[in-house]
Amino acid sequence: MAVPLTVVDSFTDAPFSGNPAGVVVLEAPAAEAWMRSVAAEVNLAETAFLAPRADGDHDLRWFTPTVEVDLCGHATLASAHVLGGERRFHTRSGVLTCVTAADGTISLDLPATTVDPVPPVGWSEVLGLRDTDVVAAWAGSGWAVVEVADAAAVEACAPVRDRLLAFGGHAIVVADTTTDATTGYDSVCRTFVPAAGIDEDPVTGAAHCVIAPWLAARTGRTSFVGRQASARGGTVGMELAGDRVVLTGTAVTVSVGQLLVDPPPA
């Protein structure tokens, strides 16, 4: 039996921008090896696999072409876009609730991630920047966060892959632009994740679950809009609510197809 596979561009209102995700809607849980093979074949940053539950919710798992991940915002948004309405997803990161508004905007209730200050030693060389471009660094929950001086420094990043892998292979490079009216955003970032098989992620929901509490701690605000300055680009709304971050964004379906290889049962 053919299995539907939809490709959705997330955190954008235009096709061929934002972050593309594959969404596979299953009739029942599938074998992990099959899901890994499908994700490698689809070869997008993440492919989401949805399996219905008896309670009306869905189990949701995310795979890059090489590994399963604990949290993926853009593939969750893509999943909500495909299913529509209000949805509850049971994941490695707990139950995630998504609501689709009448205008198509989707809200995702995700866990906030906090990070602690660390010395920024060596990051300018890793990112191909001048020493004066790197302001500070933080780390936590598998992420390194490197603050740079401005949006131009974010855009100028040219990471050295081997050096980045030696520094953990998961980096958010971000500029606080809350006082820079020229950008139109509260933060500008790029995300590099070679440790998960993704040299640069186009738009990263999980990164904005880090950025929201980071910005809140320095501004006293709870609501922000972030721009991810990858080649494809995307916009992410952020609302910090205690230990949760509600991300908002839109999505566009760019293709609908079928997998012709039946999934073995889990």
Side-chain angles (χ1 to χ4, degrees):
M1 183 179 295
V3 178
L5 167 63
T6 305
V7 175
V8 175
D9 289 343
S10 295
F11 295 116
T12 182
D13 59 3
F16 313 122
S17 59
N19 200 351
V23 179
V24 178
V25 181
L26 301 163
E27 292 187 353
E32 181 174 314
W34 183 87
M35 292 189 286
R36 289 181 179 274
S37 295
V38 170
E41 182 82 6
V42 173
N43 200 33
L44 295 174
E46 270 88 10
T47 300
F49 295 85
L50 293 158
R53 296 165 52 96
D55 59 7
D57 296 349
H58 285 79
D59 289 322
L60 172 58
R61 296 174 71 176
W62 310 279
F63 292 84
T64 79
T66 60
V67 298
E68 184 172 9
V69 296
D70 292 336
L71 180 65
C72 179
H74 87 276
T76 304
L77 187 146
S79 299
H81 173 76
V82 168
L83 295 178
E86 182 171 347
R87 299 290 175 173
R88 283 165 47 92
F89 300 125
H90 296 252
T91 76
R92 280 185 168 189
S93 293
V95 177
L96 310 180
T97 302
C98 300
V99 179
T100 303
D103 66 355
T105 300
I106 299 170
S107 299
L108 300 79
D109 181 1
L110 306 178
T113 302
T114 57
V115 289
D116 298 312
V118 295
V121 177
W123 276 109
S124 57
E125 291 84 1
V126 171
L127 298 173
L129 296 173
R130 301 169 300 181
D131 289 344
T132 53
D133 289 327
V134 175
V135 176
W138 290 259
S141 300
W143 284 109
V145 178
V146 182
E147 182 183 5
V148 296
D150 50 31
V154 173
E155 294 171 358
C157 281
V160 180
R161 191 175 193 275
D162 290 346
R163 290 182 178 179
L164 181 52
L165 285 168
F167 273 54
H170 294 77
I172 302 165
V173 181
V174 60
D176 175 354
T177 55
T178 52
T179 60
D180 182 356
T182 64
T183 69
Y185 301 98
D186 298 301
S187 65
V188 177
C189 78
R190 290 170 68 190
T191 304
F192 306 97
V193 200
I198 308 164
D199 283 350
E200 180 171 5
D201 198 34
V203 191
T204 315
H208 288 85
C209 291
V210 179
I211 292 170
W214 178 77
L215 285 175
R218 54 175 56 196
T219 65
R221 293 165 46 196
T222 58
S223 182
F224 309 97
V225 178
R227 176 70 179 171
Q228 195 147 336
S230 65
R232 291 174 64 98
T235 302
V236 184
M238 300 169 271
E239 179 71 38
L240 182 66
D243 63 353
R244 310 291 293 181
V245 178
V246 178
L247 302 183
T248 55
T250 54
V252 180
T253 299
V254 294
S255 71
V256 178
Q258 295 177 326
L259 293 166
L260 302 180
V261 180
D262 290 341

